[in-house]
Amino acid sequence: MKTSEIRLMADEEIISKLIDTRKEYMHLRFQIVSGQLTDTSKLKQTRKLIAQYETILRERQLSHKIEGEV
């Protein structure tokens, strides 16, 4: 998913996607430990997606905080 697509989402939608992606990451970690996961690049992709969600949420928090102070 592109960053521009994530920015168009509402905060609640991003949070729900973040929770789902974290669950998916946990399952991928279990699969790699048990030897079921052959495509280990999914771990990196999932971590990157989690970071994108968290970054955009943090940017929005900071912008709301700055707007409230001005």
Side-chain angles (χ1 to χ4, degrees):
M1 181 173 286
K2 294 185 178 183
T3 307
S4 59
E5 295 172 353
I6 298 172
R7 290 187 192 280
L8 296 175
M9 294 181 189
D11 287 347
E12 296 80 20
E13 188 177 359
I14 294 175
I15 292 170
S16 68
K17 294 265 188 184
L18 178 62
I19 292 169
D20 293 339
T21 308
R22 284 183 176 162
K23 287 179 184 177
E24 179 185 349
Y25 182 69
M26 183 183 66
H27 290 296
L28 288 173
R29 287 181 53 207
F30 286 141
Q31 287 177 359
I32 200 147
V33 168
S34 65
Q36 296 174 352
L37 186 65
T38 56
D39 185 13
T40 57
S41 67
K42 289 183 180 182
L43 286 170
K44 183 177 179 179
Q45 292 170 354
T46 307
R47 276 197 318 262
K48 183 178 177 181
L49 189 57
I50 290 171
Q52 286 176 331
Y53 289 142
E54 289 178 345
T55 300
I56 291 172
L57 283 173
R58 181 68 177 149
E59 287 174 353
R60 289 184 182 181
Q61 287 175 347
L62 291 175
S63 69
H64 291 301
K65 185 176 179 181
I66 292 171
E67 288 174 0
E69 290 178 359
V70 174

